Amino acid sequence: MRFKVWSLMGSVMLAGCVLPPKETPHPRQLANDNVGLTGVAAQPAADGWWDSFQDPQLDRLIRLGRRDSPTLAQANARVREALAQAQSAQAGLLPKANLDASALYQRAPENYVIPPPLAGHSFWMGQAGASLSWDLDFWGRQADAVHRAQDLTQSARLDVDDARLMLAGAITQAYIDLYREYALVDIAERSEAQRQNIVNITRRRVAAGLDTQLELRQAEGQLPQARVARAQAQAAADLAVHQLAALTGQGADAYASIQRPVLSVEAALPVPTTLPINLLARRPDVLSARMAVEAADAQRLAAKAAFYPDVSLRALAGFGAFGMNNLVQGSARGYGAGPFISLPLFDGGRLRAEYRGSEAQLDATIQGYNDTVLRAVQQTADQITRLDALARERLDQQQTLEANEAAYRLAEERYQAGLASYLSVLNAETQVLTARQSMVDILTGQATSRVTLLLAVGGSFDPRASGGLADALQPETPETSSESLTRINP
């Protein structure tokens, strides 16, 4: 008898299924061989890599930012939200039990289903009982919902890792910018002092009859310009302080506590010289995008399972009676149990629309992953190229600076001796000022690029500490299969 019942149920389920649309081909996920990753594998930098700059204030600011940054707090809040959603999805796989009780005082109509003597009279109707339901999840829809929630949780965790990495990098780069602005302030002050010295020399030359008031007015006219340049450089340094305070989650009360950097701008960081072969498994943003693809695929599978019947077991037991006194009698008890089947026969195309939407979402997520991969490769390659170019520029600029400073000293000496005009001194000073500024730009540019390159290859992020992602997310990403992507259980 039981065999006949289950056979009948199976036949009904197969006959009642609304078949899903045919699955369309999905885009290919980019892998190492698609983006030219062939270099030596990069290793994670030590947490606290910024200590290489040998500036305690920088370490204090980064640790302050990791504690108080609103951006990092938002990322952590998203992890908690994703965890709650994962727990909610996991609860769908477990049996559900409810205990219900009610008491209703009512008057029954005289001509209704309730027989005399209750008909036409008022009475209490009481109910109390327990119910149990369990979705058997034959087609894996709820399991796919759980996998989706778990993948999104892992993605959110990786976003936190990425936010921590980017925050440390942003504070370090802003700190290097502050170092640069103070260096430019020094150059502006030095230029102002040089122009004041030229004014003094010109006055002596006018007194000696070697120059006229024209040369004196020209020299004096350059001095206010030097003061303006110094004020602009100091204002830029103040703005850099404001940016640092904002990055660390502090307000205007923290401005005075941020002092001039004393960092070693030429600090060596563990950066690669070629595109590392494990780049795609070293960046938390790439891994987060990969987990988003896994979540989108789980959502597609859940939408596909919705075409098939829902099968659940239900049971109930309790008491019900007219009149509260009758509720406690043995004759008021009742119970029941059995399977419950829900067949999607006609839904106006809703299931097909949701499935097509999930496929479109999967395709968009794959393309988003590919875009993240391409940007990761470009950022890394850009910084490697930039560091190579800056190294060559530095050698040439050093020679230019030394030559311009020697030319300025010679022009100043010749002008003081009456062998050169004021115009030659002014030209020499302009060239040496430009050379000094360019040298500062190159030195700080090298430091910034080293930090950017370190971030581009994952910095201190270690995939081995992120739920086994280093083993699960191999650089060689296979093409999406016709049924499911390779699932990763966090």
Side-chain angles (χ1 to χ4, degrees), residues 59-80:
D59 180 72
R60 178 181 68 83
L61 290 173
I62 291 179
R63 298 189 185 283
L64 190 65
R66 287 187 166 184
R67 187 193 70 188
D68 298 335
S69 171
T71 302
L72 196 55
Q74 290 174 3
N76 281 308
R78 286 192 290 270
V79 171
R80 295 195 299 272

Side-chain angles (χ1 to χ4, degrees), residues 92-93 134-146 305 309-313:
L93 293 173
W134 184 17
D135 187 352
L136 299 182
D137 197 28
F138 276 172
W139 318 108
R141 179 171 63 175
Q142 192 60 39
D144 288 322
V146 171
D310 283 336
V311 181
S312 60
L313 296 178

Side-chain angles (χ1 to χ4, degrees), residues 383-465:
Q383 296 310 316
I384 291 175
T385 300
R386 179 169 172 76
L387 280 173
D388 290 341
L390 286 173
R392 295 190 296 269
E393 290 177 17
R394 179 177 176 178
L395 293 176
D396 294 336
Q397 188 61 37
Q398 182 65 40
Q399 296 176 0
T400 300
L401 176 60
E402 292 173 355
N404 286 335
E405 288 181 337
Y408 175 77
R409 290 192 297 269
L410 180 60
E412 184 182 16
E413 293 171 359
R414 287 174 58 81
Y415 179 62
Q416 189 170 2
L419 300 177
S421 65
Y422 171 75
L423 182 60
S424 64
V425 176
L426 182 61
N427 290 336
E429 184 205 27
T430 300
Q431 292 178 359
V432 76
L433 175 63
T434 302
R436 288 169 182 167
Q437 292 174 338
S438 297
M439 195 64 187
V440 169
D441 288 340
I442 289 175
L443 288 175
T444 55
Q446 284 182 311
T448 300
S449 291
R450 284 194 292 269
V451 172
T452 305
L453 179 55
L454 185 68
L455 300 177
V457 296
S460 56
F461 171 72
D462 189 352
R464 293 170 296 183

Side-chain angles (χ1 to χ4, degrees), residues 142-199:
Q142 192 60 39
D144 288 322
V146 171
H147 285 305
R148 176 179 180 272
Q150 291 174 338
D151 291 338
L152 290 178
T153 301
Q154 186 62 55
S155 178
R157 288 191 178 115
L158 289 165
D159 287 339
V160 171
D161 290 330
D162 188 54
R164 286 172 57 85
L165 182 63
M166 292 300 107
L167 179 63
I171 293 175
T172 304
Q173 291 172 333
Y175 200 71
I176 294 172
D177 287 340
L178 181 60
Y179 174 91
R180 173 183 177 274
E181 300 304 338
Y182 272 112
L184 293 179
V185 169
D186 290 343
I187 292 175
E189 291 176 347
R190 185 175 178 182
S191 176
E192 181 183 358
Q194 288 177 341
R195 291 187 179 182
Q196 181 64 59
N197 184 50
I198 294 298
V199 169

